[in-house]
Amino acid sequence: MKITATFDDEDEAIKAIQAKHAWQALIEINEVLRSNRKHGLPFEQTVSEIQASVSDALVLVYQD
């Protein structure tokens, strides 16, 4: 599939292109939460893993 998009603002175009990183972070967060429910991971470990996923995604989405 080929999709063509036009943006008036370069920053918005970059964010749209890098949005896959944000989606990947949501998928990782979902997996951490599912694992927590299934295996009863410690709360601190769960929060730490979620925070790491969010931080990694933000670094990729907001690259300069």
Side-chain angles (χ1 to χ4, degrees), residues 18-34 49-58 61:
Q18 295 174 335
K20 69 177 183 174
H21 301 300
W23 283 110
Q24 184 59 39
L26 291 173
I27 292 167
E28 290 173 11
I29 290 168
N30 186 52
E31 289 302 313
V32 168
L33 293 172
R34 290 180 74 201
E49 290 181 22
I50 290 172
Q51 196 274 329
S53 293
V54 170
S55 292
D56 291 347
L58 287 174
V61 170

Side-chain angles (χ1 to χ4, degrees), residues 40-62:
L41 298 176
F43 177 77
E44 293 81 10
Q45 180 181 349
T46 301
V47 171
S48 178
E49 290 181 22
I50 290 172
Q51 196 274 329
S53 293
V54 170
S55 292
D56 291 347
L58 287 174
V59 165
L60 294 170
V61 170
Y62 290 106

Side-chain angles (χ1 to χ4, degrees), residues 3-20:
I3 298 173
T4 302
T6 304
F7 296 91
D8 294 326
D9 181 7
E10 181 180 347
D11 290 334
E12 291 301 315
I14 291 169
K15 287 179 187 176
I17 292 167
Q18 295 174 335
K20 69 177 183 174

